[in-house]
Amino acid sequence: MKKPLLGALFAVLLLGAGTAPAVAATSHDAVAPQKTTRAERITAKAVDFAGTVALSNCSGSVVRTAGSLPSDPALVLSNGHCMETGFPGPGEVVLGRRSTRSFTLLNSAGSGVGTLRASKIAYGTMTDTDISLYQLTRSYAQIESTYGIKALELNAAHPVQGTAITVVSGYWKRTYSCNVDGFVYRLKEGEWTWKDSVRYTSACQTIGGTSGSPVIDNATGKVVAVNNTGNEDGQQCTVNNPCEVDESGTVTVRQGINYAQETYGIVPCIGAGSQIDLNRTGCTLPKP
């Protein structure tokens, strides 16, 4: 969970200081510019920042399903470990908790065009996955009418290995282009375990502050995952150093490789009026 510089936030929370602002600038300055091929640069231009948001310490995006209505309250997707309430423990699920958190909405060029505000944390967890969904005070239609920006659509199908993707960080106003390298049966980091995680190819060298960034399929423009972590130091299964565990229990450490959590499983859980209904058919998100 290095993507919002979890190490720093984790230490602050342990000391009881509450939610800390992102301090990812130091890491950002230390990272050399990512090298891409000409083909990758051309592909990346097809994916822009429209619909993404910047949080106080992370990234996110305004998202909808194919069945969402213009009048439905809009939803913002980020990570569970990006919630202002702190990191939910293993087995903990946040559902319908009041929130007034604000988000800076970005246009296609990455410029902030307005502030969106939450009415509640509709859903949040770090169990099996690492996601948060905020319900906003404005509808999709109101956001589009005011800012001319449409929400990003959540892909309802499992992502595919080899797919060309772009990680779009609203916090840094920066994109990372690579491919889906594969899927991890279990990804363990500290106390938390995530199922069927997306592993990037090495070109996506995401950094602190990119937590919660939408992972977009370049061909469809749909969100297939949400960026959340990477192995920084080569350690095994520690905070900021997730390890892969296969079905036989074999542990693999890939230093410098980054990961995301699939989002197709969110789609069946979103009902009428953008309400999260964990009892809907096909919904397998963890329950409280």
Side-chain angles (χ1 to χ4, degrees), residues 121-190:
I121 302 174
Y123 185 87
T125 192
M126 289 175 64
T127 298
D128 294 350
T129 186
D130 183 10
I131 62 169
S132 60
L133 285 166
Y134 286 83
Q135 183 171 305
L136 303 183
T137 58
R138 300 192 195 186
S139 68
Y140 294 111
Q142 288 171 325
I143 292 172
E144 185 173 356
S145 174
T146 302
Y147 304 109
I149 294 173
K150 296 182 178 181
L152 301 175
E153 184 178 335
L154 294 171
N155 196 335
H158 190 287
V160 177
Q161 186 175 15
T163 298
I165 54 174
T166 301
V167 182
V168 187
S169 171
Y171 184 90
W172 286 116
K173 301 176 179 60
R174 180 176 175 183
T175 63
Y176 303 80
S177 296
C178 60
N179 295 80
V180 174
D181 186 51
F183 305 98
V184 182
Y185 177 69
R186 297 290 184 268
L187 190 66
K188 295 181 63 67
E189 180 171 344

